[in-house]
């Protein structure tokens, strides 16, 4: 390699190492902001490609204009679309899943809770292709869940490609999730709130800024390519009278009960069919949706066209009633049977149908025209998402950005809060995502101590004042090690094979030298006798009386939660290497982590 290229490579390596160490700190705001910006661009591009693929294919395959005109299909094609889609999904999972069964938001939360946000290329491809097949084929699922997974995976894979610290990868996962929602709905603030409220379950400045930048960047890219048209056609409305409050409260109660039924049905189907292979379940889902779609073809696909019609008061009460139960059943079957689609879009559909029914009740009492029914439909949409996902702030923000009307805030807050309390306190239901994780034997730990530790990389607290030594040394060398000029706090001891197994605090060696010196020259002469008189003394660092610690490796990319877990499992001290899975006697050691360092970091 030419000398110039060698210099450039060395400088690049040094810069990247410095960058990684800075990112390991809990206050690396500027660096994370840059990464969030890039993550937003990547995620925005992925979401644009996904939407173009799905919508252009739907427009080509379906009759009439628009990407969701399943209602115009003949009876035979209504049966054919979801069944063929189910068969394609079965083939995809059979050939390519390699044991991966759960995708979407629940999978992202699981990887955040148990694997520091590490997502795989296999999962990305499976979600992209699987969700596209499911939506095009008319399965009753949404695009938002797949979008969130694709955004999270984009951020995670980007961070992994740069070997970034795990605390930074977690932020990139949340940034990708926010960017995905923002690009999907043209609602950047709702994306930010969802990522903080559901994915990270924390609100800190160091995570808020990069997530905001990611959402804004993805929204800008999506608007530039796909246009800035909102996802729904929202009619003008006004909250004109406090006499409507009883109906708004009633809507909150009904949506809370509906969200409970929605969540419970998905949980029951998921648990009862857990022992069945995924490929048989997605085929069954296709058959069930096809049968429901014979009567209510509006349940096919995401259903945004149906939601738009409901918002504009285009359905009668009887039709809304049928659509409510048909969509709830079809979505529960699809999600419960493992179809790789989302639940947010269907929740909007179900909430709009229920809100529209209450809107007709309001028009009966107050004499409103059909367009005012959209007011209750949009309230039902937000309340259903807030109650079923236990994300009230994200739901409120979403309907605010969709309507561009501050008048929605007060009635929206009231409806969402009542719906959430009804679901969580009256019926004891948790977030659908957490329920799905628990059905698979997992949990989502929101312990505040662990949240702090997850945000700090080991590289930011390690002690690099160490010396690597073999067992035998002499007193002269020991003298140099224990002087303040040596700046050594720890001695890493190699065993006979050169492997690192034991850590000796330098204070222990100093005590031993002092003891030996006292025995040699007597206590009275200790102050005047130089330690060099002991140069002939040979010291075996494995045998001297001392409080030695057994060492275990930990990766440079790890965070303090992972270090804490190693200490809980019995480790006494950790030495930091680039990759603990590949650690050997030749590995570069970056520093030492002790239990007290982890505890002090949390206290700070």
């Amino acid at each position: 390699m030419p000398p110039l290229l060698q210099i450039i490579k060395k400088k690049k390596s040094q810069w990247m190492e410095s960058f990684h160490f800075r990112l390991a700190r809990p206050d690396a705001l500027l660096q994370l902001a840059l990464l969030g910006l890039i993550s937003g661009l990547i995620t925005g591009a992925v979401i644009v490609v996904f939407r173009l693929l799905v919508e252009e294919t739907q427009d080509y395959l379906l009759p009439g204009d628009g990407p969701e005109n399943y209602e115009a299909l003949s009876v035979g094609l209504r049966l054919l679309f979801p069944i063929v889609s189910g068969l394609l999904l079965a083939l995809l999972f059979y050939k390519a899943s390699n044991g991966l069964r759960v995708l979407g938001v629940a999978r992202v939360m699981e990887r955040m809770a148990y694997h520091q946000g590490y997502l795989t290329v296999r999962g990305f491809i499976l979600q992209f292709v699987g969700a596209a097949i499911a939506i095009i084929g008319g399965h009753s699922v949404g695009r938002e869940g797949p979008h969130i997974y694709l955004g999270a995976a984009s951020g995670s894979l980007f961070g992994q490609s740069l070997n970034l610290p795990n605390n930074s990868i977690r932020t990139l996962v949340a940034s990708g999730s926010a960017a995905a929602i923002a690009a999907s709905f043209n609602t950047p603030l709702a994306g930010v709130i969802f990522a903080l409220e559901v994915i990270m379950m924390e609100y800190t400045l160091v995570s808020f800024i990069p997530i905001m930048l990611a959402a804004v960047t993805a929204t800008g890219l999506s608007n530039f390519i796909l246009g800035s048209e909102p996802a729904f056609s929202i009619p003008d409305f006004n909250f004109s009278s406090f006499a409507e409050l009883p109906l708004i409260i009633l809507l909150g109660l009904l949506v809370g009960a509906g969200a409970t039924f929605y969540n419970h049905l998905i949980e029951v189907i998921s648990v009862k069919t857990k022992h069945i292979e995924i490929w048989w379940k997605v085929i069954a889902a296709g058959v069930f949706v096809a049968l429901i779609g014979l009567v209510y073809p509006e349940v096919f696909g995401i259903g945004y066209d149906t939601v738009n019609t409901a918002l504009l008061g285009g359905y009668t009460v009887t039709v809304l009633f049928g659509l409510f139960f048909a969509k709830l059943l079809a979505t529960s079957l699809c999600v419960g049977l493992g179809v790789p689609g989302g639940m947010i879009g269907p929740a909007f559909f179900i909430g709009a149908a229920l809100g529209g029914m209450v809107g007709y009740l309001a028009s009966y009492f107050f004499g409103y025209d059909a367009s005012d029914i959209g007011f209750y439909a949009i309230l039902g949409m937000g309340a259903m998402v807030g109650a079923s996902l236990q994300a009230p702030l994200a739901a409120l923000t979403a309907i605010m950005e969709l309507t561009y009307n501050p008048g929605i805030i007060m009635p929206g807050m009231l409806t969402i809060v009542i719906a959430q309390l009804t679901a969580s306190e009256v019926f004891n239901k948790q977030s659908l995502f957490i329920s799905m994780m628990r059905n698979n034997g997992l949990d989502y730990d929101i312990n505040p101590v662990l949240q702090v530790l997850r945000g700090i990389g080991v590289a930011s607290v390690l002690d690099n004042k160490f010396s690597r030594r073999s067992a035998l040394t002499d007193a002269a060398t020991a003298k140099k090690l224990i002087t303040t000029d040596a700046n050594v706090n720890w001695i890493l001891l190699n065993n006979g094979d050169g492997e690192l197994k034991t850590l000796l605090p330098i204070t222990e060696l100093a005590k031993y030298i002092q003891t030996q010196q006292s025995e040699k020259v007597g206590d009275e002469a200790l102050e005047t006798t130089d330690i060099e008189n002991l140069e002939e003394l040979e010291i075996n660092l494995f045998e001297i009386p001392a409080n030695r610690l057994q060492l275990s490796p930990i990766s440079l990319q790890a965070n303090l939660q992972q270090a804490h877990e190693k200490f809980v499992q019995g480790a006494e001290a950790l030495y930091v290497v680039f990759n603990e899975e590949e650690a050997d006697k030749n590995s570069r050691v970056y520093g030492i982590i002790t239990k007290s360092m982890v505890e002090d970091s949390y206290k700070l």
Side-chain angles (χ1 to χ4, degrees):
M1 182 182 294
L4 179 60
L5 291 180
Q6 288 181 337
I7 294 173
I8 294 174
K9 183 178 180 181
K10 183 179 180 181
K11 290 293 185 182
K12 177 185 175 183
S13 177
Q14 292 174 344
W15 184 87
M16 286 299 296
E17 183 174 301
S18 175
F19 187 63
H20 288 179
F21 271 78
R22 185 70 183 93
L23 281 171
R25 294 174 57 86
D27 58 352
L29 187 55
L30 186 60
Q31 291 81 359
L32 284 173
L34 174 62
L35 292 173
L37 191 68
I38 298 172
S39 176
L41 284 172
I42 295 172
T43 298
V46 169
I47 300 307
V48 166
V49 171
F50 182 87
R51 287 187 58 182
L52 287 175
L53 171 66
V54 170
E55 293 172 12
E56 292 300 320
T57 305
Q58 287 177 315
D59 198 31
Y60 176 76
L61 294 177
L62 297 175
D65 296 326
E68 288 196 284
N69 194 22
Y70 291 96
E71 295 86 347
L73 291 173
S74 64
V75 172
L77 288 178
R78 291 183 192 179
L79 288 171
L80 188 64
F81 261 69
I83 292 175
V84 171
S85 173
L87 291 171
L88 291 175
L89 288 174
L91 182 63
L92 176 68
F93 276 104
Y94 184 78
K95 292 291 186 181
S97 67
N98 193 29
L100 183 57
R101 299 290 184 264
V102 179
L103 297 168
V105 181
R107 178 69 174 178
V108 174
M109 294 174 68
E110 177 215 328
R111 300 304 291 183
M112 288 285 277
Y114 293 92
H115 303 281
Q116 304 303 328
Y118 277 60
L119 292 157
T120 63
V121 174
R122 181 186 297 275
F124 179 92
I125 295 173
L126 199 63
Q127 179 72 91
F128 191 101
V129 178
I133 292 173
I135 295 172
I136 294 169
H139 281 80
S140 182
V141 291
R143 70 188 184 199
E144 298 76 21
H147 282 185
I148 293 168
Y149 185 96
L150 293 174
S154 298
S156 176
L157 293 171
F158 170 54
Q160 291 177 58
S161 70
L162 298 177
N163 293 310
L164 298 183
N166 290 349
N167 60 316
S168 301
I169 289 179
R170 294 176 62 85
T171 301
L172 288 178
V173 169
S175 297
S177 302
I181 293 180
S184 180
F185 278 122
N186 193 22
T187 54
L189 185 55
V192 171
I193 299 300
F194 181 91
L196 295 171
E197 189 173 35
V198 177
I199 303 299
M200 295 196 78
M201 290 193 175
E202 63 180 65
Y203 294 88
T204 60
L205 181 65
V206 76
S207 58
F208 194 76
I209 296 297
I211 290 172
M212 282 184 65
L213 283 173
V216 170
T217 306
T219 303
L221 183 62
S222 175
N223 289 348
F224 179 75
I225 298 175
L226 301 177
S228 58
E229 290 297 319
F232 304 109
S233 299
I234 308 295
D236 293 329
F237 62 82
N238 288 295
F239 176 60
S240 56
S241 173
F242 281 96
E244 296 179 61
L245 285 179
L247 287 175
I248 291 174
I249 294 171
L250 174 64
L251 176 60
L253 294 171
L254 291 175
V255 171
T260 300
F261 185 52
Y262 179 54
N263 288 17
H264 184 71
L265 195 55
I266 292 175
E267 291 174 32
V268 169
I269 294 171
S270 177
V271 171
K272 295 294 184 182
T273 62
K274 194 175 181 179
H275 63 285
I276 302 174
E277 292 290 354
I278 184 66
W279 37 88
W280 295 119
K281 293 199 290 185
V282 292
I283 292 173
V287 173
F288 286 132
V289 172
L291 294 175
I292 296 172
L294 287 177
V295 182
Y296 289 101
E298 292 88 353
V299 304
F300 287 143
I302 304 172
Y304 283 171
D305 57 340
T306 304
V307 173
N308 275 326
T309 304
L311 290 173
L312 297 172
Y315 293 118
T316 64
V317 174
T318 304
V319 172
L320 287 173
F321 185 82
L323 290 176
F324 169 78
F325 283 104
K327 189 66 173 180
L328 190 150
L329 178 60
T331 304
S332 300
L333 286 166
C334 286
V335 174
L337 292 172
V339 173
M343 296 167 281
I344 298 176
F348 275 143
F349 185 119
I350 296 166
L354 192 52
M357 285 188 277
V358 175
Y360 272 105
L361 185 63
S363 67
Y364 175 80
F365 284 109
F366 298 104
Y368 292 145
D369 57 38
S371 64
D372 291 312
I373 294 170
F375 170 64
Y376 286 88
I378 194 72
L379 291 180
M381 289 168 59
M384 179 61 71
V385 171
S388 60
L389 307 185
Q390 297 290 291
L393 190 55
L396 177 64
T397 308
I399 63 173
M400 285 172 55
E401 288 188 291
L402 288 171
T403 61
Y404 295 103
N405 190 333
I408 197 71
I409 295 177
M410 191 279 283
M413 290 175 67
L414 181 60
T415 312
I416 291 170
V417 167
I418 292 174
Q420 169 132 0
L421 289 175
T422 302
S424 63
E425 303 305 316
V426 177
F427 295 104
N428 198 29
K429 280 296 178 183
Q430 294 180 308
S431 164
L432 183 55
F433 301 136
I434 293 179
S435 297
M436 292 178 69
M437 289 178 62
R438 288 179 175 166
N439 290 339
N440 287 282
L442 302 172
D443 203 349
Y444 197 78
D445 194 347
I446 55 174
N447 184 304
V449 175
L450 295 183
Q451 285 183 329
V452 172
L453 297 180
R454 287 168 182 162
I456 306 174
V458 296
S460 68
V461 301
L462 60 80
D463 187 347
N464 60 4
K465 297 175 182 178
F466 65 88
S467 177
R468 190 166 178 172
R469 298 284 169 176
S470 57
L472 296 177
T473 188
D474 54 56
T477 302
K479 172 197 171 183
K480 293 177 181 178
L481 288 175
I482 64 177
T483 59
T484 55
D485 292 340
N487 202 24
V488 173
N489 295 331
W490 310 94
I491 299 177
L492 278 68
L493 296 179
N494 301 324
N495 62 13
D497 298 327
E499 296 179 351
L500 288 172
K501 294 294 183 182
T502 307
L503 181 68
L504 179 68
I506 197 66
T507 53
E508 295 291 312
L509 178 60
K511 289 178 185 178
Y512 175 76
I513 292 294
Q514 187 178 35
T515 300
Q516 292 300 308
Q517 183 176 349
S518 299
E519 292 177 357
K520 284 278 187 180
V521 302
D523 292 337
E524 293 181 359
L526 183 61
E527 295 182 359
T528 59
T529 303
D530 196 276
I531 197 170
E532 291 178 359
N533 295 332
L534 303 176
E535 287 184 359
E536 73 281 1
L537 177 66
E538 185 177 70
I539 302 173
N540 188 325
L541 297 177
F542 276 112
E543 295 180 356
I544 65 173
N547 180 26
R548 283 175 287 269
L549 304 174
Q550 294 302 304
L551 280 169
S552 300
I554 189 169
S555 299
L556 182 65
Q557 290 76 31
N559 57 32
L560 292 189
Q561 181 203 7
Q562 294 168 279
H564 167 74
E565 290 170 352
K566 286 183 175 288
F567 288 123
V568 170
Q569 293 165 5
E572 295 180 339
L574 306 172
Y575 66 98
V576 181
V577 293
F578 188 77
N579 187 340
E580 65 182 88
E581 300 295 334
E582 301 174 0
D584 58 28
K585 62 183 180 181
N586 298 317
S587 298
R588 175 187 173 184
V589 178
Y590 291 88
I592 303 299
I593 299 287
T594 64
K595 188 175 182 180
S596 63
M597 294 178 191
V598 175
E599 293 173 348
D600 290 344
S601 295
Y602 171 67
K603 292 173 186 175
L604 289 174

